[in-house]
């Protein structure tokens, strides 16, 4: 996301977040303060100072406008503490590759990061990952994937569903360490005969469940950044809002047995907010409600409880 995109996005959020009533309230409150000060000074026989303030009304107008900008400044990060767990669930609006912590990169079930040139022509997370971290050289990423599979052959052998076509189970996770950061390649879609990827609702749920299971055993307990998977090239028949809610509920359910990361951060690209008319207030309220109303038991070896449905 370029600097122009950032400014444009913040301007849109600011404009959509204000109203004539809010503008009026802020200006009237500032001028009310001015009037109060003038009245007090007049009461204590300070007409010179009160006249000076009256003539400087424009200063208070600027103060009112500044107050409006401050009160309605666009937020890009919405964190929520999960009740009875030392974990956060958050939404961030921005570029996923500018995020801290580990990042999930969706990939097809063949771990094919070229797919006969289709990936390089797409606008997928995988394509941007290859461009930014591998200088558009998908062969280098393929080499890293093969090295990881060979180094942990015993682990990945149970995820192979077709040895001849090198096809892996949905939910297979292959970690790649690049530029001092972990990237988890997550198989969440299948390829058809035309080499087009497809992610179903079942694929989404299975891939998320396998991701949490992997992190519980093999993950490093830090922040995990997750895109709204399956909604782009995955052709998932769910809206972005529905996918975000599905991710949140799946993650909260995975915390039944304990926490495996410090924070799950779901990243939304700024363009998606306007293009798909996402209501960020609805999403944040959904997260707040479910994070504060979990029913996890405390101080038990096998806690029970699920997030609200």
């Amino acid at each position: 996301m370029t600097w122009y995109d950032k400014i444009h996005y913040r301007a849109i959020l600011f404009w959509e977040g204000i109203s004539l009533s809010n503008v009026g309230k802020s200006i009237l409150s500032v001028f009310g303060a001015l009037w109060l000060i003038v009245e007090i000074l007049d009461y204590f026989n300070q007409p010179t100072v009160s006249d000076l303030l009256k003539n400087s009304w424009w200063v208070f107008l600027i103060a009112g406008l500044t107050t409006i900008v401050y009160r309605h400044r666009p937020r890009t990060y919405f964190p929520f503490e999960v009740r009875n767990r030392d974990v956060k669930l958050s939404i961030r609006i921005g570029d996923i590759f500018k995020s801290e912590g580990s990042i999930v990169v969706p990939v097809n079930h063949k771990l094919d990061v070229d797919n006969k040139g289709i990936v390089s022509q797409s606008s997928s997370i995988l394509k941007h990952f290859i461009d930014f971290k591998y200088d558009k050289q998908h062969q280098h990423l393929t080499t890293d994937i093969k090295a990881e599979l060979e180094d942990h052959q015993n682990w990945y052998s149970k995820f192979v569903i077709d040895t001849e076509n090198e096809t892996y189970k949905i939910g297979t996770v292959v970690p790649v360490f690049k530029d001092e950061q972990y990237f988890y390649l997550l198989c969440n879609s299948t390829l058809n005969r035309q080499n087009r990827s497809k992610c179903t609702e079942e694929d989404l749920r299975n891939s998320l469940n396998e991701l949490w299971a992997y992190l519980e055993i093999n993950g490093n307990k830090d922040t995990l950044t997750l895109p709204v998977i399956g909604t782009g090239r995955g052709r998932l028949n769910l809206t972005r809002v529905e996918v975000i809610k599905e991710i949140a509920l799946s993650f909260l359910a995975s915390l039944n047995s304990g926490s495996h990361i410090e924070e799950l951060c779901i990243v939304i690209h700024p363009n998606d907010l306007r293009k798909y008319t996402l209501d960020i207030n609805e999403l944040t309220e959904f997260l707040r409600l479910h994070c504060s109303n979990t029913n996890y038991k405390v101080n038990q070896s096998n806690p029970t409880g699920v997030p609200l449905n």
Side-chain angles (χ1 to χ4, degrees), residues 85 256-257 297-304:
R85 289 289 182 271
N256 282 331
S257 58
K297 297 295 181 64
V298 184
N299 298 326
Q300 287 189 6
S301 58
N302 293 306
T304 60

Side-chain angles (χ1 to χ4, degrees), residues 173-190:
V173 179
V174 180
V176 173
F177 191 69
K178 188 73 174 178
D179 296 336
E180 303 301 319
Q181 191 174 19
Y182 272 104
F183 297 88
Y184 294 114
L185 301 180
L186 173 65
C187 296
N188 76 313
S189 62
T190 58

Side-chain angles (χ1 to χ4, degrees), residues 41-55:
L41 291 172
D42 283 340
Y43 179 81
F44 287 104
N45 294 319
Q46 298 291 332
T48 303
V49 179
S50 65
D51 289 342
L52 177 62
L53 289 176
K54 291 177 184 178
N55 293 329

Side-chain angles (χ1 to χ4, degrees), residues 34-193:
L34 168 63
W35 182 262
L36 178 62
I37 295 173
V38 168
E39 287 293 313
I40 293 174
L41 291 172
D42 283 340
Y43 179 81
F44 287 104
N45 294 319
Q46 298 291 332
T48 303
V49 179
S50 65
D51 289 342
L52 177 62
L53 289 176
K54 291 177 184 178
N55 293 329
S56 303
W57 60 268
W58 55 271
V59 174
F60 289 85
L61 177 61
I62 294 176
L65 295 175
T66 302
T67 301
I68 294 171
V69 172
Y70 177 78
R71 287 179 177 176
H72 300 282
R73 65 192 185 281
R75 295 177 60 191
T76 58
Y77 178 57
F78 307 87
F80 300 93
E81 295 281 351
V82 179
R83 180 172 173 261
N84 289 338
R85 289 289 182 271
D86 191 16
V87 178
K88 289 181 181 179
L89 176 58
S90 63
I91 288 179
R92 185 184 296 278
I93 302 166
D95 184 347
I96 190 170
F97 294 110
K98 299 293 179 62
S99 304
E100 298 180 353
S102 305
I103 297 176
V104 174
V105 179
V107 67
N108 58 68
H109 71 326
K110 291 186 177 182
L111 292 170
D112 187 345
V113 298
D114 178 43
N115 194 18
K116 297 185 178 179
I118 293 177
V119 172
S120 62
Q121 298 174 8
S122 70
S123 57
S124 64
I125 296 292
L126 177 59
K127 187 261 186 185
H128 291 296
F129 174 55
I130 295 171
D131 287 352
F132 295 150
K133 296 299 180 179
Y134 285 89
D135 297 323
K136 300 183 179 181
Q137 302 298 316
H138 64 84
Q139 302 93 335
H140 297 168
L141 175 56
T142 299
T143 299
D144 286 349
I145 292 173
K146 289 183 176 180
E148 178 67 22
L149 296 176
E150 291 174 359
D151 290 344
H152 301 89
Q153 186 175 5
N154 291 337
W155 171 265
Y156 287 106
S157 61
K158 59 185 178 182
F159 292 96
V160 178
I161 58 177
D162 187 341
T163 305
E164 183 178 352
N165 295 312
E166 297 183 358
T167 304
Y168 291 83
K169 176 184 176 182
I170 290 292
T172 302
V173 179
V174 180
V176 173
F177 191 69
K178 188 73 174 178
D179 296 336
E180 303 301 319
Q181 191 174 19
Y182 272 104
F183 297 88
Y184 294 114
L185 301 180
L186 173 65
C187 296
N188 76 313
S189 62
T190 58
L191 291 178
N192 61 20
R193 295 181 179 178

